[in-house]
Amino acid sequence: MSNLVIYQYSKCSTCRNAVKWLRSNGHELEIRHIVEEPPTVSELNELINKSGLELKKFFNVSGEVYKSLGLKDKLGDMTREEQIELLSTNGMLIKRPIVSSREHATLGFKEEHYANVWGSS
């Protein structure tokens, strides 16, 4: 079908389910480990734009790093550039998985949304 890039964390069951779904629907995947190789500032800007989502959706608000840094109270005082820079420094701050093609990017995994964006077999 198509070649997609997926930023994922192998210990994340949501990521594993997304990879399984995408492969079973004929997609070739370039897998990027979101912790070992987090998206750069430039990549994040591109992913955010392609997703059509607000920047705040890219934060893993249920994650330990987000909580330990007290970001719930700090993000409002940060510029967009500062927030994206912060995301690029620690993949555990980023909601996952992120799936990207030339035209689209999705965040998280919901089978119905994947079927709409990435097609189903």
Side-chain angles (χ1 to χ4, degrees), residues 21 27 99 101 104-106 111-120:
W21 189 94
H27 294 282
V99 180
S101 68
H104 304 289
T106 56
E111 192 169 332
E112 182 178 304
H113 184 59
Y114 269 41
N116 288 334
V117 177
W118 307 120
S120 69

Side-chain angles (χ1 to χ4, degrees), residues 4 6 18-27 29 99 114 118:
L4 302 175
I6 182 167
V19 166
K20 181 179 176 182
W21 189 94
L22 290 164
R23 285 187 171 147
S24 71
N25 283 277
H27 294 282
L29 302 177
V99 180
Y114 269 41
W118 307 120

Side-chain angles (χ1 to χ4, degrees), residues 51-67:
S51 75
L53 297 171
E54 296 176 68
L55 171 57
K56 68 181 180 179
K57 298 280 189 189
F58 278 74
F59 281 89
N60 179 10
V61 297
S62 61
E64 293 300 317
V65 176
Y66 181 90
K67 292 175 183 175

Side-chain angles (χ1 to χ4, degrees), residues 3-21:
N3 292 320
L4 302 175
V5 176
I6 182 167
Y7 296 85
Q8 59 98 38
Y9 181 59
S10 58
K11 293 181 182 177
C12 168
S13 61
T14 303
C15 294
R16 289 193 305 270
N17 289 336
V19 166
K20 181 179 176 182
W21 189 94

